[in-house]
Amino acid sequence: MGTVLQIEGLRKSYATGRRRPPRPALKGLDLEVRRGSVFGLLGPNGAGKTTTLKVIMGLVRPDAGRVTVLGRQADDLSVRSRIGFLPEQPYFELYMTPRRLLTYYGRLAGMSSERIRERIPYLLNLVGLGDVTDLRLEKFSKGMLQRVGLAQALLNRPELVILDEPSSGLDPLGKIEVKEILDGLRREGVTVLLSSHQLSEVEEVCDRVAIISGGENVASGGLDDLLRSKDEFRVVLAGPLLVEKPLLPPSASWSSDGRTLYVKRESLSRVLRSLIDAGIGVEEVAPRRMTLEEFFLSRVKPAREGEDV
Amino acid sequence: MYSLLTVAWGVMQDALHRKVFYALLAFTLILILLVPLLPTAEVGVQLDLAREAALGLASIMAFLMAVILAASILPGEMGRRTIYNALSRPVGRKIYYLGKLLGVLAVLAAALILNYLVILAFLAAKFRVFSPGTAKALFTIFLEGAVLASVSMLASVHFGPLVCVLLTGLFYVVCHVKGDFLYRAMVDVSNPGALRGLAGFLYYVLPNLERLNINETVAHGERVFRVGAAELLLLTGLAVCFAAVFTGIGMYVFERKDL
């Protein structure tokens, strides 16, 4: 599995005024996105997610670092014909219709008229706008504009799709449709880099994530690896607890269902012995899997506290 | 080349959906048709005055249109962030910038051609004369519009539309008075050295836009001075050189701007 996007030591600061020091947005960011993956870029507001995406798209010039996209430097124009980009809250000239807009962007992408004509109905149907192909965008809701944005990002059959908050402004049905589109892209082997605040969405669709905080990558890897706790275990009892709860170390805690225990690594053998001594059957012992939200908070909070210091 | 033309075509489409384009065009064309209401003079002079007034109105329209369109395109696209959608395609920033300027110039050319046709029809209807020579004046108006648009667009890389219009207006005034005011300020030994230096710098660096103004000559039938092909070529060269310098600086600055 090759690397589609490689970022090394990326730094970027923004000027804040003549007499004020520049505000660093990225402080030596490293990131790797592998081919065919759906990669989630997470982070609190101001973490540097959008700046990272802008650097990849050549919209912002980095102060230092290297960005390689599909084997070429990010500022190499030829690579853009292989990338699709959906900016955060996309906006378009509202006098246009989806057909005219996509034709315009298709021409800018260097696509032939025939190919553009072929792609437009397919894409507009894909994003659920097949029946408003010739309606002016000024009549569109925010969610519909977001769908147009998604269609334009997929216009040139990109190998890498970069989406900044793709579900922003969409209703629950729209969010499900976006998830289905992302699943479809994954099946086609398209690499997706997705920046989002919606952790549940990322947990559902991404197979790898990176968490950025304060302009640095504070955690990255496969979702399963990251969320599997290394120092806490989940102990599932064989059946409902019929006897009195045995005395357990304070680090062990019962879940609300009364059948599951969360135990720290150092207490695991003591807890298991206590359970067996009390005649309680154990069905499963496995590393605890955190929710993405728990993991996110565990990584972002310390990083922020470090910054505050 | 294809991207350049696509961007330019986009600007023309955009202009056709702007009220300011139609307002300026309609206002000018109506005023041209109202020229006969000016105080009367002898018939021969009346024709010259009508031509001069019509060309003057066309100049004002062209300059306003060039400056307003050029000043508002980039800030508008950056503000609305529609620029992200375009620049995420394989389109270089220089091409994008140049395409936008070409689009403005195409809109300006179309508006001036329309003006020309209206002026021809008006002069033919009112004075029974055919005045194809007005095309020369409209051409130099276009050249001046191109220089102003390139200045306005350069300013728009960093400033909002209002500041750009004001800066370009200042540029227009200074470039029209440079042959007189700046020259006198430069050579007048009673002026402080710094003022003479500044006047001299501006005198030699800025274009003399008054040189591009041949409205009066054309309006009076080129009786005193004939504007030949060599003169038009020289004026074209002058305008192209200055527009190219301002556009080159604009492209350089725009390419380095964080969006």
Side-chain angles (χ1 to χ4, degrees), chain A residues 42-84:
Chain A
L42 302 171
N45 289 333
K49 302 187 297 291
T50 297
T51 299
T52 305
L53 300 188
K54 283 184 174 178
V55 171
I56 297 168
M57 296 312 301
L59 298 168
V60 161
R61 290 161 61 87
D63 299 333
R66 228 169 99 94
V67 180
T68 312
V69 188
L70 295 160
R72 291 170 185 269
Q73 294 296 307
D75 54 6
D76 184 338
L77 279 183
S78 65
V79 88
R80 305 246 176 95
S81 56
R82 297 160 66 194
I83 306 178

Short mmCIF file of all heavy atoms in Angstrom, two decimals, chain A residues 42-84:
data_model
loop_
_atom_site.label_atom_id
_atom_site.label_comp_id
_atom_site.label_asym_id
_atom_site.label_seq_id
_atom_site.Cartn_x
_atom_site.Cartn_y
_atom_site.Cartn_z
N LEU A 42 -8.46 15.17 12.61
CA LEU A 42 -9.26 15.70 13.72
C LEU A 42 -8.49 16.74 14.49
O LEU A 42 -7.26 16.74 14.48
CB LEU A 42 -9.63 14.56 14.68
CG LEU A 42 -10.39 13.39 14.10
CD1 LEU A 42 -10.47 12.28 15.12
CD2 LEU A 42 -11.77 13.83 13.69
N GLY A 43 -9.22 17.57 15.17
CA GLY A 43 -8.56 18.56 16.02
C GLY A 43 -9.54 19.62 16.44
O GLY A 43 -10.53 19.84 15.75
N PRO A 44 -9.25 20.27 17.56
CA PRO A 44 -10.15 21.34 18.01
C PRO A 44 -10.05 22.55 17.06
O PRO A 44 -9.18 22.58 16.18
CB PRO A 44 -9.63 21.69 19.40
CG PRO A 44 -8.20 21.24 19.39
CD PRO A 44 -8.11 20.10 18.45
N ASN A 45 -10.91 23.53 17.26
CA ASN A 45 -10.84 24.75 16.45
C ASN A 45 -9.46 25.38 16.59
O ASN A 45 -8.91 25.46 17.69
CB ASN A 45 -11.88 25.77 16.92
CG ASN A 45 -13.28 25.33 16.56
OD1 ASN A 45 -13.47 24.60 15.59
ND2 ASN A 45 -14.25 25.76 17.33
N GLY A 46 -8.91 25.82 15.46
CA GLY A 46 -7.61 26.49 15.50
C GLY A 46 -6.44 25.55 15.63
O GLY A 46 -5.31 25.98 15.87
N ALA A 47 -6.69 24.25 15.46
CA ALA A 47 -5.60 23.27 15.61
C ALA A 47 -4.65 23.28 14.42
O ALA A 47 -3.50 22.86 14.53
CB ALA A 47 -6.18 21.88 15.80
N GLY A 48 -5.14 23.73 13.27
CA GLY A 48 -4.30 23.75 12.07
C GLY A 48 -4.80 22.84 10.96
O GLY A 48 -4.10 22.63 9.97
N LYS A 49 -6.02 22.30 11.11
CA LYS A 49 -6.54 21.36 10.10
C LYS A 49 -6.71 22.04 8.74
O LYS A 49 -6.23 21.57 7.72
CB LYS A 49 -7.91 20.79 10.54
CG LYS A 49 -7.92 20.08 11.87
CD LYS A 49 -9.25 19.43 12.13
CE LYS A 49 -10.42 20.41 12.23
NZ LYS A 49 -10.40 21.28 13.40
N THR A 50 -7.43 23.17 8.76
CA THR A 50 -7.72 23.84 7.49
C THR A 50 -6.44 24.38 6.87
O THR A 50 -6.25 24.30 5.65
CB THR A 50 -8.76 24.96 7.71
OG1 THR A 50 -9.96 24.34 8.16
CG2 THR A 50 -9.05 25.71 6.43
N THR A 51 -5.52 24.87 7.70
CA THR A 51 -4.24 25.34 7.16
C THR A 51 -3.51 24.18 6.48
O THR A 51 -2.94 24.35 5.39
CB THR A 51 -3.37 25.93 8.29
OG1 THR A 51 -4.06 27.03 8.85
CG2 THR A 51 -2.02 26.40 7.77
N THR A 52 -3.56 23.01 7.09
CA THR A 52 -2.90 21.84 6.50
C THR A 52 -3.50 21.55 5.12
O THR A 52 -2.77 21.35 4.14
CB THR A 52 -3.09 20.61 7.42
OG1 THR A 52 -2.61 20.94 8.71
CG2 THR A 52 -2.36 19.40 6.89
N LEU A 53 -4.83 21.54 5.05
CA LEU A 53 -5.48 21.25 3.77
C LEU A 53 -5.15 22.33 2.74
O LEU A 53 -4.94 22.03 1.56
CB LEU A 53 -7.01 21.15 3.95
CG LEU A 53 -7.52 20.08 4.92
CD1 LEU A 53 -9.03 19.96 4.83
CD2 LEU A 53 -6.89 18.72 4.62
N LYS A 54 -5.09 23.57 3.19
CA LYS A 54 -4.77 24.67 2.26
C LYS A 54 -3.34 24.55 1.73
O LYS A 54 -3.07 24.86 0.57
CB LYS A 54 -4.95 26.02 2.95
CG LYS A 54 -6.42 26.44 3.08
CD LYS A 54 -6.48 27.82 3.68
CE LYS A 54 -7.87 28.36 3.71
NZ LYS A 54 -7.91 29.69 4.33
N VAL A 55 -2.44 24.12 2.59
CA VAL A 55 -1.05 23.94 2.13
C VAL A 55 -1.01 22.83 1.07
O VAL A 55 -0.37 22.97 0.03
CB VAL A 55 -0.11 23.62 3.30
CG1 VAL A 55 1.27 23.21 2.79
CG2 VAL A 55 0.03 24.81 4.23
N ILE A 56 -1.74 21.75 1.35
CA ILE A 56 -1.76 20.63 0.38
C ILE A 56 -2.29 21.12 -0.97
O ILE A 56 -1.78 20.74 -2.02
CB ILE A 56 -2.64 19.47 0.91
CG1 ILE A 56 -2.06 18.89 2.20
CG2 ILE A 56 -2.79 18.37 -0.15
CD1 ILE A 56 -3.01 17.96 2.93
N MET A 57 -3.29 22.00 -0.93
CA MET A 57 -3.91 22.48 -2.17
C MET A 57 -3.17 23.69 -2.76
O MET A 57 -3.61 24.25 -3.76
CB MET A 57 -5.37 22.87 -1.93
CG MET A 57 -6.28 21.74 -1.52
SD MET A 57 -6.14 20.27 -2.57
CE MET A 57 -6.55 20.90 -4.17
N GLY A 58 -2.09 24.10 -2.13
CA GLY A 58 -1.31 25.23 -2.66
C GLY A 58 -1.98 26.57 -2.45
O GLY A 58 -1.63 27.55 -3.11
N LEU A 59 -2.93 26.64 -1.54
CA LEU A 59 -3.62 27.91 -1.28
C LEU A 59 -2.86 28.75 -0.26
O LEU A 59 -3.06 29.96 -0.16
CB LEU A 59 -5.05 27.65 -0.79
CG LEU A 59 -5.96 26.91 -1.78
CD1 LEU A 59 -7.25 26.45 -1.10
CD2 LEU A 59 -6.28 27.79 -2.97
N VAL A 60 -2.01 28.08 0.50
CA VAL A 60 -1.20 28.76 1.52
C VAL A 60 0.22 28.27 1.35
O VAL A 60 0.46 27.08 1.10
CB VAL A 60 -1.76 28.42 2.93
CG1 VAL A 60 -0.73 28.69 4.00
CG2 VAL A 60 -3.03 29.20 3.21
N ARG A 61 1.17 29.20 1.46
CA ARG A 61 2.59 28.82 1.31
C ARG A 61 3.18 28.49 2.67
O ARG A 61 3.11 29.32 3.59
CB ARG A 61 3.36 29.98 0.70
CG ARG A 61 3.02 30.23 -0.76
CD ARG A 61 3.44 31.61 -1.17
NE ARG A 61 4.87 31.83 -1.03
CZ ARG A 61 5.77 31.55 -1.98
NH1 ARG A 61 5.37 31.06 -3.12
NH2 ARG A 61 7.04 31.77 -1.80
N PRO A 62 3.75 27.30 2.83
CA PRO A 62 4.33 26.96 4.14
C PRO A 62 5.63 27.73 4.38
O PRO A 62 6.30 28.14 3.43
CB PRO A 62 4.58 25.46 4.01
CG PRO A 62 4.75 25.21 2.55
CD PRO A 62 3.91 26.23 1.84
N ASP A 63 5.96 27.91 5.67
CA ASP A 63 7.24 28.54 6.01
C ASP A 63 8.38 27.53 5.88
O ASP A 63 9.50 27.89 5.53
CB ASP A 63 7.20 29.06 7.46
CG ASP A 63 6.12 30.11 7.65
OD1 ASP A 63 5.77 30.78 6.67
OD2 ASP A 63 5.60 30.23 8.78
N ALA A 64 8.06 26.29 6.20
CA ALA A 64 9.08 25.22 6.12
C ALA A 64 8.37 23.89 6.01
O ALA A 64 7.18 23.77 6.31
CB ALA A 64 9.96 25.26 7.36
N GLY A 65 9.12 22.87 5.60
CA GLY A 65 8.55 21.53 5.53
C GLY A 65 8.34 21.07 4.10
O GLY A 65 8.55 21.83 3.15
N ARG A 66 7.95 19.81 3.99
CA ARG A 66 7.81 19.19 2.68
C ARG A 66 6.44 18.53 2.58
O ARG A 66 6.01 17.83 3.50
CB ARG A 66 8.87 18.09 2.57
CG ARG A 66 9.67 18.10 1.28
CD ARG A 66 10.83 17.14 1.49
NE ARG A 66 10.49 15.85 0.89
CZ ARG A 66 10.84 15.52 -0.34
NH1 ARG A 66 11.54 16.36 -1.08
NH2 ARG A 66 10.53 14.35 -0.84
N VAL A 67 5.76 18.78 1.47
CA VAL A 67 4.46 18.13 1.24
C VAL A 67 4.53 17.43 -0.11
O VAL A 67 4.74 18.06 -1.14
CB VAL A 67 3.31 19.16 1.23
CG1 VAL A 67 1.98 18.47 1.00
CG2 VAL A 67 3.27 19.95 2.54
N THR A 68 4.40 16.12 -0.07
CA THR A 68 4.41 15.33 -1.31
C THR A 68 3.02 14.72 -1.51
O THR A 68 2.51 14.04 -0.63
CB THR A 68 5.46 14.19 -1.20
OG1 THR A 68 6.67 14.75 -0.71
CG2 THR A 68 5.71 13.54 -2.55
N VAL A 69 2.43 15.01 -2.67
CA VAL A 69 1.10 14.49 -2.97
C VAL A 69 1.19 13.65 -4.23
O VAL A 69 1.68 14.12 -5.26
CB VAL A 69 0.10 15.65 -3.22
CG1 VAL A 69 -1.32 15.11 -3.35
CG2 VAL A 69 0.17 16.69 -2.13
N LEU A 70 0.76 12.40 -4.14
CA LEU A 70 0.79 11.47 -5.27
C LEU A 70 2.17 11.46 -5.94
O LEU A 70 2.29 11.51 -7.16
CB LEU A 70 -0.31 11.84 -6.28
CG LEU A 70 -1.74 11.68 -5.74
CD1 LEU A 70 -2.74 12.49 -6.55
CD2 LEU A 70 -2.15 10.22 -5.72
N GLY A 71 3.17 11.49 -5.10
CA GLY A 71 4.55 11.39 -5.58
C GLY A 71 5.16 12.68 -6.09
O GLY A 71 6.28 12.67 -6.59
N ARG A 72 4.41 13.77 -6.02
CA ARG A 72 4.96 15.05 -6.50
C ARG A 72 4.85 16.12 -5.42
O ARG A 72 4.08 15.97 -4.48
CB ARG A 72 4.17 15.53 -7.73
CG ARG A 72 4.41 14.66 -8.94
CD ARG A 72 3.43 15.03 -10.03
NE ARG A 72 3.56 14.14 -11.17
CZ ARG A 72 4.35 14.35 -12.21
NH1 ARG A 72 5.10 15.43 -12.26
NH2 ARG A 72 4.42 13.50 -13.19
N GLN A 73 5.60 17.18 -5.61
CA GLN A 73 5.51 18.31 -4.67
C GLN A 73 4.10 18.91 -4.75
O GLN A 73 3.51 18.95 -5.83
CB GLN A 73 6.52 19.39 -5.04
CG GLN A 73 7.98 18.96 -4.88
CD GLN A 73 8.34 18.66 -3.44
OE1 GLN A 73 8.13 19.47 -2.57
NE2 GLN A 73 8.88 17.47 -3.19
N ALA A 74 3.61 19.40 -3.62
CA ALA A 74 2.24 19.91 -3.58
C ALA A 74 2.04 21.09 -4.53
O ALA A 74 0.93 21.33 -5.00
CB ALA A 74 1.88 20.32 -2.16
N ASP A 75 3.11 21.85 -4.79
CA ASP A 75 2.93 23.02 -5.66
C ASP A 75 3.03 22.67 -7.15
O ASP A 75 2.97 23.55 -8.00
CB ASP A 75 3.92 24.13 -5.29
CG ASP A 75 5.36 23.65 -5.29
OD1 ASP A 75 5.59 22.50 -5.68
OD2 ASP A 75 6.24 24.43 -4.88
N ASP A 76 3.17 21.39 -7.44
CA ASP A 76 3.19 20.94 -8.84
C ASP A 76 1.74 20.93 -9.36
O ASP A 76 0.88 20.20 -8.87
CB ASP A 76 3.80 19.53 -8.90
CG ASP A 76 3.95 19.02 -10.32
OD1 ASP A 76 3.25 19.53 -11.21
OD2 ASP A 76 4.78 18.12 -10.53
N LEU A 77 1.47 21.79 -10.35
CA LEU A 77 0.09 21.95 -10.83
C LEU A 77 -0.50 20.66 -11.39
O LEU A 77 -1.70 20.41 -11.26
CB LEU A 77 0.04 23.02 -11.92
CG LEU A 77 0.02 24.47 -11.45
CD1 LEU A 77 -0.10 25.38 -12.65
CD2 LEU A 77 -1.13 24.71 -10.49
N SER A 78 0.36 19.83 -12.01
CA SER A 78 -0.16 18.64 -12.68
C SER A 78 -0.85 17.70 -11.69
O SER A 78 -1.75 16.95 -12.06
CB SER A 78 0.96 17.91 -13.41
OG SER A 78 1.88 17.42 -12.47
N VAL A 79 -0.44 17.77 -10.44
CA VAL A 79 -1.00 16.85 -9.45
C VAL A 79 -2.46 17.23 -9.10
O VAL A 79 -3.25 16.39 -8.69
CB VAL A 79 -0.08 16.83 -8.19
CG1 VAL A 79 -0.46 17.91 -7.19
CG2 VAL A 79 -0.13 15.49 -7.52
N ARG A 80 -2.80 18.49 -9.35
CA ARG A 80 -4.16 18.96 -8.99
C ARG A 80 -5.23 18.30 -9.85
O ARG A 80 -6.40 18.27 -9.46
CB ARG A 80 -4.27 20.47 -9.14
CG ARG A 80 -3.24 21.21 -8.35
CD ARG A 80 -3.82 22.03 -7.23
NE ARG A 80 -2.70 22.60 -6.51
CZ ARG A 80 -2.23 23.80 -6.75
NH1 ARG A 80 -2.84 24.59 -7.60
NH2 ARG A 80 -1.18 24.25 -6.09
N SER A 81 -4.85 17.83 -11.03
CA SER A 81 -5.86 17.19 -11.87
C SER A 81 -6.20 15.80 -11.33
O SER A 81 -7.13 15.16 -11.80
CB SER A 81 -5.38 17.09 -13.32
OG SER A 81 -4.15 16.43 -13.35
N ARG A 82 -5.44 15.37 -10.32
CA ARG A 82 -5.70 14.05 -9.72
C ARG A 82 -6.28 14.17 -8.32
O ARG A 82 -6.41 13.19 -7.60
CB ARG A 82 -4.39 13.25 -9.68
CG ARG A 82 -3.84 12.99 -11.09
CD ARG A 82 -2.37 12.65 -11.05
NE ARG A 82 -2.08 11.39 -10.40
CZ ARG A 82 -0.87 10.99 -10.01
NH1 ARG A 82 0.16 11.78 -10.22
NH2 ARG A 82 -0.70 9.83 -9.42
N ILE A 83 -6.58 15.42 -7.92
CA ILE A 83 -7.12 15.67 -6.58
C ILE A 83 -8.49 16.32 -6.70
O ILE A 83 -8.73 17.12 -7.60
CB ILE A 83 -6.21 16.64 -5.78
CG1 ILE A 83 -4.78 16.14 -5.74
CG2 ILE A 83 -6.72 16.83 -4.37
CD1 ILE A 83 -3.83 17.08 -5.01
N GLY A 84 -9.38 15.98 -5.78
CA GLY A 84 -10.66 16.69 -5.67
C GLY A 84 -10.68 17.38 -4.33
O GLY A 84 -10.20 16.82 -3.33
#
